[in-house]
């Protein structure tokens, strides 16, 4: 059983469209991170959110941590081909454990 | 600055063979972790270390051993490989607890057990 479920699992959109990826759990997390992974590479951190309700923006990407710290969303405005990749959320629980979500594979078509 | 280096990048093993996946970091990070990545399951924590001489189990530790004799190195040993261990393995390091700071990942080792 996965602690963090992401939806959708796959997403294919046209350049310029907007999209939202969701990361949901029934558990509370001390923090929530979003990573992007490209083929043949390890994940790279995009953002960390630690406070319930927190919103962070990174250029065209907007990240939100749920009020109850159980869920998060990633919104991309005007998607570009360079946004293509696997997006992973990860939640912190316990002393040192980081639990990863199931992943959303995004393809942006030029 | 190399960051986190994993070797080998690809490996094929026969069932029952043993091998060691190497991981080295040059950032003087205390925290190091091993994950495996399987389709549709994200990354799952195998073992982690909070400093030289200290290791602990993650979510899926069975069939794997680790040691941390130096700050820089954190090898992962498969004692008797099984087809269920076919996966992509990632090593990561971070300055402090990975949920509070950025974790840096290696490029991964793609392991196939036949």
């Amino acid at each position: 059983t996965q602690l963090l479920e992401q939806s959708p699992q796959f997403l294919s959109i046209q350049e310029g469209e907007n999209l939202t990826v969701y990361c949901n759990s029934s558990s509370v997390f001390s923090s929530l991170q979003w990573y992007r992974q490209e083929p043949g590479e390890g994940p790279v951190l995009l953002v960390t959110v630690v406070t319930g309700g927190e919103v962070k923006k990174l250029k065209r990407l907007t990240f939100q941590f749920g009020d109850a710290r159980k869920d998060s969303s990633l919104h991309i405005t005007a998607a570009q081909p360079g946004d293509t990749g696997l997006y992973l959320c990860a939640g912190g629980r316990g002393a040192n454990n980081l639990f990863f979500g199931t992943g959303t594979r995004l393809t942006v078509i030029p | 600055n190399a960051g986190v280096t994993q070797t080998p990048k690809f490996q094929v093993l026969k069932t029952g063979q043993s091998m060691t996946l190497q991981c080295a970091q040059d950032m003087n990070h205390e925290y190091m972790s091993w994950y495996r990545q399987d389709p549709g399951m994200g990354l799952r924590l195998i073992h982690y270390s909070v400093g030289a001489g200290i290791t602990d189990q993650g979510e899926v530790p069975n069939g794997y051993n680790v040691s941390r004799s130096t700050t820089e190195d954190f090898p992962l040993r498969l004692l008797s490989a099984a087809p269920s261990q076919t996966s992509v393995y990632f090593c990561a390091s971070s300055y402090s607890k990975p949920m509070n700071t950025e974790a840096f990942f290696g490029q991964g080792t793609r392991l196939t057990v036949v």
Side-chain angles (χ1 to χ4, degrees), chain A residues 78-101:
Chain A
Q80 298 178 2
D83 296 327
T84 293
L86 178 67
Y87 288 82
L88 295 160
C89 64
R93 287 190 78 197
N96 296 296
N97 280 342
L98 193 61
F99 291 90
F100 279 84

Side-chain angles (χ1 to χ4, degrees), chain A residues 48 58 65 77 82 92:
Chain A
T48 301
L58 185 66
F65 200 10
T77 302

